[in-house]
Amino acid sequence: MMGLSISIGSGQDSSQRSGNRSLTLTGLIDGAARPGSASGITAAFSDGFPVQSLSWGSTAGGAEFGTAASPQEFGSADTGLFEAPGRLYVTARAAGRDYSLSVPIRTAAPVFATPPAFDGPLYKVGTTVGFALGTVDVAPATLTVAGFALDGEDRRAEIDGLSWTSAGETAWGREGELRLQVRAESSGGVVLSAPVTARLGNVPQAFAAADWSVDATGVRIAALPDDGNVPITNIRYRIDGGPDQSRGGVTDFALSSYGDVQIRAVNALGIGAWSDIKTRTAPTPALSIDSAPVLGTAAAVEGNTLTATAGSVSGGPSVRTWQWYRGSAAISGAIGSSYELKAADIGQRIKVRQIETPSGGSPVTRDSAASPVVVALNFQARDNGDGTFGVSYADGARSTVEFVLSQPTVYAGSYSLDLAALETGPVCLVQPALSGTPAVGAVLSATRFLWVYQPTLGALSISPGWRRNGTVLAGESGSTHTVVAADAGTDLQYIETATQSGAAAPVTAASPAVRIGNAAAVLSGVSGTRSAAGQITVALTTDRGEGTIFHVVTGGVAPSAAQIAAGTGADGTPLAAPYRGSIPVVAAGPQTLTISGLAEPISATVYLVQQTGSGGLSAPVSTARIASPATSGYSPQGSASALAWWDASDEATITHAAGAASQIADKIGTAHLSGTGTTGVAASDVNGLNTIVMDGADDHFIQNGPLFPASGNWVLTMVAGIGAVDHLNDSLVNCTGGSTGFFLSAYNAAQFNGRLSLGGTSADLASGPYSGLHVFQIVADLGNTGTAQCFVDGVQVASLAYAAAVDATTTYLFRFGGQRLAGAFCEAFLDADISTQAPAQAHVSEKWRIT
């Protein structure tokens, strides 16, 4: 209780005073009398003068509650006083004067309107605990902490204001229940609030070895660790140190993977430490190769490629590898599903061994039947002296041979000759350029083409001719052509048609086209930029102030001048506005062209040509490739459809010893690449990123096992530096095995011209040869268009028909058979969503800073 003193001067209106004398009451609570008792309340004069008489009542000057001659304390006999609320009036007399005062009478104890409360239900050991005292329904009243304990131990001495820090509990790991009770005191009485509680806890401890186990099903939980006084809600696990994965609940759970397993517990305050490792080992499957592998139908001729088809396998999953044999001796390095027959194989029989290895088990093998005895290619060529060569070779030969000529100079060079093509008709290897001035009245002269043919298909007949813009000119059958007015502004070509009686059809070859013009315009100073969303602005200069400048906008192969003027792509397909258009030219000099309404994101080149009044076309010009800012946010890590990802810039994924690489880990799966290369040297850095250098002699990487989706739809993106080429079969990628494979090879003995071959059909890459750093992409679209396309730096450079899904089982990088490509491996990833081609190209171009 709080004792208060109230002083009031003499007189009923409290206005009379005798000197400094005043009447005072002590023993009040909050300035009021407590109902039910007057005990403890005393009256006195401030100057100590004796009280002659005293009365007290519920009205001014009244004596309802009693009188006395000179009591100075309300006695215990007055305990029945003040049972109703109101006011207590006290009158004292001394020295002939009356002194009076009044105070309120309170009758009810305080009641909590809002109870005390903690700031939260749960606190971690070491943090600060905040609380509120609540409020009561009467005022004034005093609220104090009546009790504050942790698991029954008093902690009131540690309270600072309205908070308590649990930092002192950290060393003891103290956890438990916090209990708070508040005392409310007023003149009406003292009340204790109902206790309120919160919990002080910690994160769970680590699982002990005896608490859990692994078996064939998954993880078994025998007991939970100390939960930090906060219930455990779920369990997390990881395998081989991989990503942290969550399991709801705290019971046993199944696993489909094998390896080193760790678990840890989770409660509302956090995650416990990882347990010790327990290894879950897959049961060894009982594998069987039920049928022998089969060699393909290729003849056993030097240079041909034998391809193995695997025998059926039962008894569980396995990893397939191959080993080829010459007789009974294993052929070093011949470990793919295909093998190119070499000179060392002549006179020998070849077979292949299929090797199936289960996870954690021993390999199971089965051999194919042996091939017939390998015979020599025995390639021979006879020069007929008229630009034709008759050739002969072993029956069934289907390889590509290098055909080298030094004389005459016009034919000098090294050429790749596909023997399979000679089975259906003659092949034209060289089409020399025309000589002469490409102007009206001048004479153009042609040199006979170089033809190679197989005499067993019959005698070779050559018919010369000329064509204008692709249309054969009637009556023109000589090796010269006099340019006439009708030729102005057109393309002229010399053609030869070769015929053999046993050929599938006549074969026509054409010389490089010569554009005939009459002072054609010259366009220069071409530049272009994406000036706004969906808009490109192009600047250029012309030296002719007449005619029309035509343009097309395309991300594909560059169109010809005639195709630009006609508003088509390189394949002749008409383009829609604004991807085609024109502006008139009224004066020579600078010109500005604004193209709006293009679809975003933009990734295209603008091609332009000027047609003058005579109809002549200038040489085509183009801008650099114009692209929208990269906004796709694509990355193989974040793509739900990505299947495999190898990244040389992430050195942590490369296994190497002193820079000699032996493996590149798959960053999103288990399709790891194994092989050889050199990494971690300054000479291999590309724009500050690490690469793996391929030496062109032995280095290559291989991935065994199915990789491509059964749907037949996928995008393979590869960033690579193209180095020295020493064989036409030097390949960037080669996928073999199964019934349908593909490869991207140099197709030239000295430079990477590029040929894409898929499922038995091939297409040469446009705009080659390629060297240095590029983004190569192969887009296989079986479900929609039935085509496969090749893109280089975002530009389509090849397209071919695609009839069956790729089911290759072995993937080589920088290798085809015994040939290796020199250069640098940077990054590659495979995605099952063909719409990711453009975003993927933008992603790696920005990452590797490829312009």
Side-chain angles (χ1 to χ4, degrees):
M1 293 185 181
M2 179 183 293
L4 299 178
S5 175
I6 300 178
S7 302
I8 303 178
S10 64
Q12 295 294 329
D13 59 1
S14 303
S15 62
Q16 302 178 35
R17 196 176 282 277
S18 176
N20 292 324
R21 182 179 302 155
S22 62
L23 181 62
T24 65
L25 295 179
T26 59
L28 302 175
I29 299 176
D30 293 334
R34 185 173 64 182
S37 175
S39 178
I41 300 178
T42 62
F45 286 118
S46 61
D47 59 358
F49 196 82
V51 177
Q52 295 175 339
S53 64
L54 186 68
S55 64
W56 57 96
S58 61
T59 60
E64 293 91 341
F65 298 145
T67 61
S70 58
Q72 297 182 4
E73 179 178 354
F74 298 359
S76 59
D78 301 316
T79 56
L81 298 179
F82 321 141
E83 292 180 350
R87 293 191 71 81
L88 169 66
Y89 292 87
V90 181
T91 303
R93 187 170 182 79
R97 291 179 177 273
D98 289 336
Y99 298 83
S100 61
L101 57 76
S102 67
V103 295
I105 301 172
R106 298 226 174 94
T107 61
V111 175
F112 276 88
T114 57
F118 286 97
D119 290 349
L122 183 63
Y123 299 89
K124 188 173 181 180
V125 172
T127 60
T128 297
V129 177
F131 55 85
L133 299 179
T135 61
V136 295
D137 63 345
V138 297
T142 302
L143 300 180
T144 57
V145 175
F148 187 84
L150 172 60
D151 269 0
E153 294 186 12
D154 191 356
R155 292 289 192 270
R156 283 180 295 176
E158 301 166 5
I159 293 175
D160 182 9
L162 294 179
S163 66
W164 172 76
T165 177
S166 65
E169 309 300 327
T170 304
W172 304 97
R174 185 67 66 92
E175 304 153 0
E177 182 181 79
L178 290 169
R179 189 174 186 272
L180 170 67
Q181 192 170 27
V182 175
R183 169 191 177 125
E185 181 178 359
S186 74
S187 60
V190 178
V191 174
L192 293 177
S193 70
V196 292
T197 62
R199 183 160 294 280
L200 184 67
N202 219 329
V203 299
Q205 295 182 4
F207 275 90
D211 293 343
W212 68 292
S213 60
V214 294
D215 59 18
T217 301
V219 172
R220 299 284 185 178
I221 305 298
L224 295 175
D226 188 328
D227 63 1
N229 206 29
V230 179
I232 293 173
T233 56
N234 66 302
I235 297 172
R236 295 189 177 184
Y237 74 96
R238 66 184 180 187
I239 299 176
D240 291 337
D244 191 347
Q245 305 181 65
S246 181
R247 287 287 182 177
V250 291
T251 61
D252 302 346
F253 56 89
L255 288 177
S256 60
S257 300
Y258 299 91
D260 290 339
V261 182
Q262 292 175 284
I263 64 174
R264 56 181 175 175
V266 181
N267 66 12
L269 288 177
I271 306 174
W274 285 113
S275 68
D276 289 337
I277 291 172
K278 294 191 177 182
T279 301
R280 183 168 181 261
T281 304
T284 303
L287 275 182
S288 172
I289 303 177
D290 301 323
S291 58
V294 177
L295 298 182
T297 58
V301 178
E302 174 194 7
N304 280 2
T305 296
L306 301 182
T307 300
T309 300
S312 59
V313 179
S314 62
S318 61
V319 175
R320 178 176 300 147
T321 54
W322 301 92
Q323 177 62 60
W324 292 82
Y325 287 82
R326 181 182 298 122
S328 60
I331 303 173
S332 176
I335 56 174
S337 61
S338 62
Y339 174 70
E340 181 181 325
L341 297 172
K342 301 175 175 57
D345 301 321
I346 297 172
Q348 301 289 325
R349 295 181 185 272
I350 304 299
K351 68 178 181 180
V352 68
R353 175 167 295 169
Q354 179 180 344
I355 306 167
E356 302 289 338
T357 305
S359 177
S362 300
V364 177
T365 66
R366 190 160 180 177
D367 292 353
S368 70
S371 72
V373 173
V374 178
V375 300
L377 175 62
N378 195 25
F379 180 85
Q380 299 182 35
R382 178 174 58 84
D383 185 357
N384 297 323
D386 57 357
T388 65
F389 283 79
V391 299
S392 61
Y393 44 87
D395 290 342
R398 293 293 185 275
S399 59
T400 300
V401 300
E402 188 175 5
F403 197 79
V404 180
L405 289 176
S406 58
Q407 294 294 331
T409 304
V410 70
Y411 297 144
S414 176
Y415 310 101
S416 295
L417 178 60
D418 185 352
L419 299 184
L422 289 175
E423 295 295 309
T424 60
V427 173
C428 186
L429 289 185
V430 184
Q431 305 89 33
L434 300 178
S435 59
T437 302
V440 175
V443 175
L444 297 179
S445 298
T447 300
R448 292 288 303 271
F449 295 168
L450 174 62
W451 291 88
V452 179
Y453 67 101
Q454 189 184 75
T456 57
L457 294 181
L460 180 67
S461 174
I462 305 296
S463 299
W466 293 79
R467 64 188 182 193
R468 177 193 299 136
N469 285 349
T471 301
V472 175
L473 299 178
E476 297 276 356
S477 59
S479 61
T480 61
H481 172 78
T482 300
V483 181
V484 298
D487 296 328
T490 69
D491 290 327
L492 288 180
Q493 291 174 290
Y494 170 73
I495 62 173
E496 288 185 353
T497 300
T499 305
Q500 283 183 281
S501 60
V507 178
T508 298
S511 70
V514 172
R515 169 52 56 98
I516 306 301
N518 183 11
V522 176
L523 302 179
S524 60
V526 184
S527 65
T529 183
R530 176 183 176 274
S531 50
Q535 178 176 290
I536 290 175
T537 299
V538 179
L540 73 161
T541 299
T542 176
D543 66 346
R544 295 289 299 277
E546 63 170 325
T548 303
I549 294 178
F550 295 91
H551 76 267
V552 296
V553 182
T554 177
V557 177
S560 67
Q563 289 170 326
I564 297 171
T568 75
D571 61 356
T573 302
L575 301 175
Y579 294 89
R580 62 176 291 177
S582 64
I583 60 170
V585 179
V586 297
Q591 311 288 322
T592 300
L593 174 66
T594 300
I595 306 168
S596 302
L598 301 172
E600 291 282 354
I602 297 171
S603 180
T605 301
V606 182
Y607 297 90
L608 308 104
V609 69
Q610 182 173 351
Q611 186 175 49
T612 56
S614 63
L617 294 173
S618 69
V621 295
S622 65
T623 66
R625 191 169 189 84
I626 301 171
S628 304
T631 59
S632 69
Y634 176 87
S635 76
Q637 183 71 57
S639 172
S641 53
L643 302 174
W645 180 20
W646 308 285
D647 184 6
S649 73
D650 186 354
E651 295 184 63
T653 66
I654 302 172
T655 302
H656 68 93
S662 59
Q663 177 178 283
I664 310 173
D666 181 356
K667 295 178 70 172
I668 58 176
T670 59
H672 308 314
L673 295 174
S674 60
T676 58
T678 304
T679 189
V681 294
S684 69
D685 286 351
V686 172
N687 295 323
L689 299 179
N690 185 71
T691 69
I692 297 180
V693 174
M694 315 304 288
D695 63 4
D698 297 303
D699 291 345
H700 71 279
F701 283 97
I702 180 174
Q703 191 278 322
N704 286 307
L707 190 63
F708 298 89
S711 67
N713 298 326
W714 47 266
V715 181
L716 176 64
T717 300
M718 185 171 180
V719 182
I722 302 298
V725 174
D726 60 8
H727 194 279
L728 59 91
N729 283 339
D730 283 0
S731 295
L732 188 61
V733 59
N734 173 28
C735 296
T736 64
S739 58
T740 303
F742 73 93
F743 60 83
L744 180 60
S745 64
Y747 204 59
N748 186 280
Q751 61 189 18
F752 197 92
N753 289 346
R755 166 173 276 199
L756 174 64
S757 179
L758 191 153
T761 60
S762 301
D764 294 345
L765 273 57
S767 304
Y770 297 96
S771 62
L773 189 65
H774 293 283
V775 180
F776 295 90
Q777 292 178 291
I778 299 172
V779 180
D781 184 359
L782 180 62
N784 297 308
T785 62
T787 60
Q789 299 169 301
C790 183
F791 291 78
V792 178
D793 299 331
V795 178
Q796 180 187 323
V797 294
S799 178
L800 48 77
Y802 176 37
V806 170
D807 58 357
T809 56
T810 304
T811 299
Y812 295 95
L813 301 183
F814 288 83
R815 170 186 169 183
F816 188 113
Q819 308 305 321
R820 308 293 194 274
L821 174 66
F825 173 80
C826 301
E827 183 174 5
F829 47 85
L830 181 68
D831 200 302
D833 184 356
I834 60 175
S835 69
T836 63
Q837 178 268 317
Q841 192 274 332
H843 167 72
V844 295
S845 294
E846 180 180 3
K847 175 178 178 179
W848 293 90
R849 287 186 277 170
I850 302 173
T851 57

